[in-house]
Amino acid sequence: RVVAMLNQKGGVGKTTSAVNLAAAFAAHGHRTCLIDLDPQAHMTLHVGLDGDSIECTVYDLLVDPQRDIADAIVKVDERLDAIVAETDLAAAETELADQSGRQDILARKFQAISDQYDVVMIDCPPSLGLLTLNALAMADEVFVPMQAHFLALQGVGKLLETVGLVCQSVNPALEVTGVVLCMHEKQTNLAREVVDDLDTFFNESRDSNVPWRHCRVLQPPIRRNIKLAEAPSFGQTIFQYDPTCRGAEDYTALAEDVIARWHNGTGSL
Ligand code: ADP
Ligand code: MG
């Protein structure tokens, strides 16, 4: 399964969730690959790598047709690989502006290694440009990390519309399958109301043919946990940094929820 972590807002938990969900899948026995499509390269740093000193990155794969995706794979941990970003990645967007087929460069290259992995997690930038399109063109599903804030639902609505358009143009099979609640404060009324609104909204979509008809709020929400904010500066996943903290507990349980759903029907591992 190829999953893109998508939200046009920054600071909602995309990178944290991509890295720690991927690490949880790997710990669970699944061969997992992380791909960093954000020029900020936070995912790359979070797993302890430096894109500027790595020979072949996502940037090279996008702009150089000769570059082989197998050369871009870096081992992070047992069963966990990464394809990293460097700061140059921001330039790819303009460098490729006139090239036809620029939206699915990565999808085409990925086919060569797709059978080496059970799960691929793609960290997207907080924008909806060419880099995000490359993620959506190769993804089977989209997870939307978000915080249960006022107006959260409006942001999600806009995002879903965009995914709907992408489906029509580059990837008709793409589905939005899960919302990941990050930095969650369960006990607040606001959080409870937003979650209820999300549940209602998705339940009302079940019988339509929109790409989010199978979407639900994934369980459990990820609680606010300082360890999750500390781990990136050590270049470690939460399981390397503090495997017994609440953050590690939450991402383990979330990964189990996702895996159970994959085994039960929509999609298979
Ligand atoms: P995005 O990739 O969407 O911009 P990040 O994953 O980088 O968001 O998260 C934004 C900030 O919040 C980071 O500093 C991250 O360490 C922190 N953070 C994310 N999830 C949690 C959490 N559950 N508890 C505490 N801090 C978190
Ligand atoms: Mg990020």
Side-chain angles (χ1 to χ4, degrees), residues 14-16 38 40 42-43 123-124 126:
K14 289 184 292 294
T15 302
T16 307
D38 187 348
Q40 296 178 92
H42 289 167
M43 184 223 94
D123 191 23
C124 294

Side-chain angles (χ1 to χ4, degrees), residues 50-127:
D50 170 16
D52 291 330
S53 66
I54 284 171
E55 173 55 26
C56 184
T57 70
V58 163
Y59 169 79
D60 301 300
L61 295 179
L62 287 173
V63 301
D64 184 352
Q66 308 303 325
R67 285 300 183 114
D68 196 342
I69 194 164
D71 298 333
I73 296 172
V74 183
K75 189 176 163 70
V76 171
D77 206 342
E78 206 178 337
R79 291 183 296 272
L80 184 61
D81 290 345
I83 296 179
V84 306
E86 60 183 308
T87 39
D88 279 353
L89 182 55
E93 205 125 343
T94 40
E95 286 178 43
L96 292 166
D98 305 321
Q99 196 171 309
S100 65
R102 61 186 178 278
Q103 294 171 339
D104 40 25
I105 298 172
L106 208 57
R108 276 181 273 121
K109 290 204 175 181
F110 177 70
Q111 278 169 6
I113 56 161
S114 63
D115 58 3
Q116 293 177 29
Y117 297 105
D118 303 307
V119 187
V120 177
M121 302 292 295
I122 311 175
D123 191 23
C124 294
S127 60

Side-chain angles (χ1 to χ4, degrees), residues 10-16 183 222-225 228-229:
V12 293
K14 289 184 292 294
T15 302
T16 307
M183 295 169 253
I222 307 300
R223 293 167 287 183
R224 190 177 282 283
N225 179 214
L228 287 169

